[in-house]
Amino acid sequence: MDINGKGDSVDELKGLRITNLDDDDDENIAVDEDDNGEDEDDDDEEEQESVILGFVEKPEHSWSLLRQQFPSKAGGVPAWLDPDNLPTRMSCVCDVCGEPLQFLLQVYAPLVEKDSTFHRTLFVFMCLSMKCLLRDQHEQWKRHPDKQSRSVKVFRCQLPRANSFYSSKPPEGNATDKPLTSGAPLCNWCGTWKGDKFCSSCKVARYCSQKHQVMHWRAGHKLECQQLSLSPQSSDSNACHGGVAQIKAPKVASKSLWPEYEMKNEHESEYDTEMSGDEEHTDNSLIPRNKVDDTMKSLMDTFEGDGDKKSWASFQERIGKAPEQVLRYCRSAGSKPLWPILGGRPSKADIPICSYCGGHLCFEFQILPQLLYYFGVKNDAESLDWATIAVYTCEASCEGVGYKQEFAWVQLGTAINCPS
């Protein structure tokens, strides 16, 4: 994405954006004029596109992941862009099992085409159950039914420069930055969804669902409930003092959230130069080389034909330049995901239109399974796993208040990637 044209704030905001392409990079962006959709024979879909890679690392400062810093992050809890008009009700739960969804990652990706997208963030949530992900993967093959049962959901939120939540000036990038409002109270258990339900005893603890209230009660709230009910304290931990919201990282009781990381971005082209003729970056990888080799061998053994093996080899060659990447971003015209295998790719007809404006969806980014390694997810049959998750968003980034649900395409292993 080109971020030029936002006035003198652009240079100061560049470091916050998942993509920071300058005008000098425009010649590297090619438009696919002969777009036949997500055809299976497109082995080099991204070859001429300028791709931004996302990497995760532990944040140096806790304040750097607060919403007033407009972060890109993975794990922990979301830093909601619009803190008031959060997704609610059925939007928050897995459509298969009904459990509240867990936060996976968010990408700060503003667009310069119009003022309404001066701030723009995409949020991805998913169910922890692999059984639900398998069901989700089959549901996506049902072309545009009235209702799909999805366990992976994507929400887009955008704000103009002048809004009621943040200053129109760029953040200082330190602990002094404050938002203008405190935002809606969040669930005390997950810290993710709006806490619109109270504990009936203490009237202090808030929850997004009865499920999370029960889990919190069993995990220790039963003992602290009486004390809270006698304490003259506010139920809103983000109270305003002197008209300025004192936003702190929410205290979350759940121990099952994924570990929190800050997401940093680099141009893939930088690794083309660095990797020429040596394996230095791979040798210094945080992911052990023997683990990568074992994973590759395991996947190769499951492939059903030479086509999948060729596709995987091409994918691995591209990813191997920067094996720690967890996300690939490219919203250029005609851009497509880098598919690991042939099976399970969507056709053009499989990608729905925007459910709000009726316009086309375009590919924006994909999430790689390397993220699961950083989250400490076990490598067994019952654990979450995917080949890639491709996120498609409204090409016009249509306007509206709050959060709009976008579309995610899940590609799994070859044995389970075909429609049932």
Side-chain angles (χ1 to χ4, degrees), residues 15-16 58-73 79 106 166 171-179 246-250 260-262 264:
L16 299 175
K58 284 296 184 180
E60 186 176 352
H61 306 287
S62 59
W63 49 260
S64 66
L65 298 183
L66 298 178
R67 61 182 175 87
Q68 60 266 30
Q69 301 296 339
F70 309 107
S72 291
K73 64 188 295 287
Q106 66 186 71
Y166 309 100
E172 296 293 333
N174 56 46
T176 65
D177 292 315
K178 299 290 187 295
Q246 304 297 309
I247 303 298
K248 300 178 180 180
E260 188 172 50
Y261 292 94
E262 186 172 7
K264 300 291 188 177

Side-chain angles (χ1 to χ4, degrees), residues 91-206:
S91 297
C92 308
V93 302
C94 171
D95 295 330
V96 180
C97 69
E99 295 288 332
L101 296 172
Q102 184 150 308
F103 173 68
L104 184 68
L105 59 78
Q106 66 186 71
V107 177
Y108 182 64
L111 304 175
V112 299
E113 286 81 3
K114 50 187 180 180
D115 181 65
S116 62
T117 55
F118 184 86
H119 295 298
R120 179 175 176 272
T121 303
L122 299 163
F123 300 81
V124 183
F125 300 83
M126 69 186 308
C127 182
L128 295 176
S129 169
M130 186 61 192
K131 290 182 179 179
C132 292
L133 187 61
L134 291 171
R135 172 72 179 276
D136 177 287
Q137 199 273 341
H138 285 289
E139 284 285 317
Q140 68 191 6
W141 289 100
K142 300 177 181 179
R143 290 186 177 173
H144 326 316
D146 291 337
K147 173 149 176 58
Q148 287 183 319
S149 295
R150 303 303 307 268
S151 73
V152 179
K153 296 184 181 181
V154 181
F155 298 97
R156 169 175 53 88
C157 181
Q158 57 199 44
L159 297 171
R161 181 170 186 169
N163 62 81
S164 59
F165 307 119
Y166 309 100
S167 169
S168 59
K169 298 180 180 179
E172 296 293 333
N174 56 46
T176 65
D177 292 315
K178 299 290 187 295
L180 302 180
T181 64
S182 59
L186 301 174
C187 175
N188 281 73
W189 177 254
C190 68
T192 298
W193 305 108
K194 182 179 289 187
D196 53 7
K197 298 176 176 60
F198 283 100
C199 171
S200 59
S201 296
C202 67
K203 302 294 192 297
V204 175
R206 290 175 174 266

